[in-house]
Amino acid sequence: MSKLEKLVDELSTLTVLEAADLSKLLEEKWGVSAAAPVAVAAAGGAAAAPAEAAEEQTEFTVILTAGGDKKINVIKEVRSIRPDLGLKEAKDLVEGAPQNVKENVSKQEAEDVAKKLTEAGASVTIK
């Protein structure tokens, strides 16, 4: 059995929390983040979108930019905000950040959602 196959077998036995801790340790050791390529791709797509008119904005989108250190809390909060999502879909949304959590909502609702997610440990922007 090769070194890589042994490593894959070992990694397969990790719990979700252990895998999250491993991810943090690797990010600290090598100074890289697995979310960086996703953020670059999303930023490129957002830059291509035309700018909104100078009118006052009435509809807002809440964007989860990063799940943070407390992903489980953030996943729970996403599920409370979006009851249409199951556990797996909420987890995928948090891990796939940046992702839209709520679209076309009032300013007040966007601020409330952003506050809840921030308190749970996530990074959020409102557009």
Side-chain angles (χ1 to χ4, degrees):
M1 187 179 260
S2 74
K3 279 175 52 174
L4 293 178
E5 289 172 341
K6 288 179 184 177
L7 182 59
V8 169
D9 287 341
E10 287 294 318
L11 291 175
S12 298
T13 64
L14 295 178
T15 66
V16 174
L17 292 176
E18 290 170 332
D21 289 341
L22 174 63
S23 173
K24 287 179 203 169
L25 290 171
L26 293 174
E27 286 176 8
E28 291 171 7
K29 173 106 176 151
W30 291 315
V32 296
S33 173
V38 175
V40 170
E52 290 290 322
E55 299 174 19
E56 186 171 331
Q57 190 173 353
T58 58
E59 293 183 338
F60 297 85
T61 300
V62 180
I63 303 169
L64 177 74
T65 55
D69 293 337
K70 301 176 183 176
K71 283 188 182 176
I72 293 174
N73 292 338
V74 175
I75 292 168
K76 288 178 182 178
E77 199 59 50
V78 166
R79 288 201 64 208
S80 74
I81 293 166
R82 296 270 313 268
D84 60 310
L85 297 179
L87 180 59
K88 177 164 179 18
E89 291 83 8
K91 179 180 176 276
D92 290 345
L93 188 144
V94 171
E95 290 179 346
Q99 295 274 350
N100 294 349
V101 177
K102 286 283 242 183
E103 297 177 347
N104 303 325
V105 295
S106 68
K107 184 175 185 176
Q108 182 62 44
E109 184 177 354
E111 289 173 350
D112 291 344
V113 168
K115 181 180 177 189
K116 288 178 184 179
L117 289 170
T118 303
E119 287 174 353
S123 299
V124 180
T125 58
I126 299 175
K127 291 189 176 187

